[in-house]
Amino acid sequence: MVKLKKSDIDKPSARKRILMAAQSEFASCGFGGARVDRIAAAAEVNKAMIFYYFQSKENLYKSVIMRVLKELFPRIGKELEASSDPEHFMEVLPRVYMEFLLKNPEIIKIIGTALIHDSGRMTGFMRDILGQIDHLPRKLFKNKIEDWAREERITEKNPLHFILNIIPLCIFSIIGKPMVEVMLEESTAEDTVY
């Protein structure tokens, strides 16, 4: 019988270590600059293990983003289901986004860099990623927004426009935070959620 050392028991699985190392590498270097050999070294695995689990650098990239978004979308869906009125949803959605982004700051760098350098590739990646998330509340969003518009609880009748008006407000405070702190000569706590 092989006896495991405590350090082996506490160590995250190889797949999880690869995802964590890849997230840091993609955040630092972007998709094009990221190197599989650096990811392997940081994850303390053989480079072949990355290809065993993910088959390609592109699949690893998608897996990094999907792992994080799989946490976000079910939470948004849950909050939308619980929102009987648009005011409640408009109050809670920015908080959900902010908590998510504060917990996963590297995802902003990963997606932002991809959008700057190769928005076409990122659009394709997001289509693939969102297509694989089981609890993506697409119909729930659309139906709830259309219901609120029909009931004249909101003026924007197009669900696409409604969401495009909300999401920038949710992420601006993280992206714009340094600029606002400099302008007002006042800093905010790192974990402040607005």
Side-chain angles (χ1 to χ4, degrees):
M1 181 173 184
V2 177
K3 188 171 182 178
L4 294 173
K5 294 183 276 180
K6 175 140 175 58
S7 60
D8 291 334
I9 294 169
D10 294 341
K11 200 172 195 178
S13 71
R15 187 176 197 287
K16 185 173 183 176
R17 290 194 320 271
I18 291 167
L19 285 168
M20 291 164 47
Q23 183 169 318
S24 293
E25 178 75 6
F26 289 130
S28 297
C29 305
F31 178 78
R35 297 290 171 255
V36 174
D37 54 337
R38 286 195 302 250
I39 295 169
E44 299 175 351
V45 299
N46 183 304
K47 190 174 167 178
M49 288 293 288
I50 293 174
F51 293 102
Y52 171 78
Y53 283 115
F54 301 99
Q55 293 76 49
S56 69
K57 179 177 155 184
E58 189 168 293
N59 284 342
L60 175 58
Y61 185 78
K62 289 177 185 177
S63 295
V64 165
I65 296 171
M66 187 181 324
R67 181 179 71 84
V68 181
L69 294 183
K70 274 187 168 180
E71 175 188 327
L72 175 64
F73 286 113
R75 174 113 189 262
I76 291 173
K78 181 180 171 189
E79 294 296 343
L80 186 59
E81 276 183 314
S83 295
S84 58
D85 59 75
E87 290 82 12
H88 177 261
F89 184 64
M90 297 287 282
E91 225 176 87
V92 80
L93 183 64
R95 189 173 304 121
V96 168
Y97 264 104
M98 293 299 295
E99 288 169 357
F100 167 78
L101 293 173
L102 287 169
K103 183 179 172 190
N104 301 286
E106 290 179 323
I107 203 68
I108 298 170
K109 292 177 188 174
I110 292 170
I111 293 174
T113 301
L115 288 171
I116 290 168
H117 295 292
D118 193 353
S119 61
R121 171 180 272 169
M122 190 53 170
T123 300
F125 282 169
M126 291 305 280
R127 187 177 293 114
D128 292 347
I129 290 164
L130 296 178
Q132 294 178 41
I133 295 178
D134 297 331
H135 303 291
L136 188 63
R138 289 180 201 191
K139 287 187 178 185
L140 178 62
F141 263 116
K142 191 171 190 288
N143 294 342
K144 191 77 105 161
I145 293 165
E146 287 172 346
D147 287 347
W148 287 338
R150 195 172 29 262
E151 295 164 3
E152 298 182 353
R153 297 171 95 180
I154 58 174
T155 56
E156 181 54 65
K157 296 183 183 324
N158 185 329
L160 174 66
H161 295 167
F162 182 82
I163 291 177
L164 287 175
N165 283 319
I166 294 173
I167 291 177
L169 297 173
C170 296
I171 61 174
F172 179 78
S173 57
I174 286 181
I175 295 169
K177 181 178 155 190
M179 179 177 56
V180 172
E181 288 179 337
V182 169
M183 284 176 25
L184 299 178
E185 296 179 339
E186 185 178 328
S187 59
T188 58
E190 282 300 311
D191 60 349
T192 301
V193 177
Y194 302 94

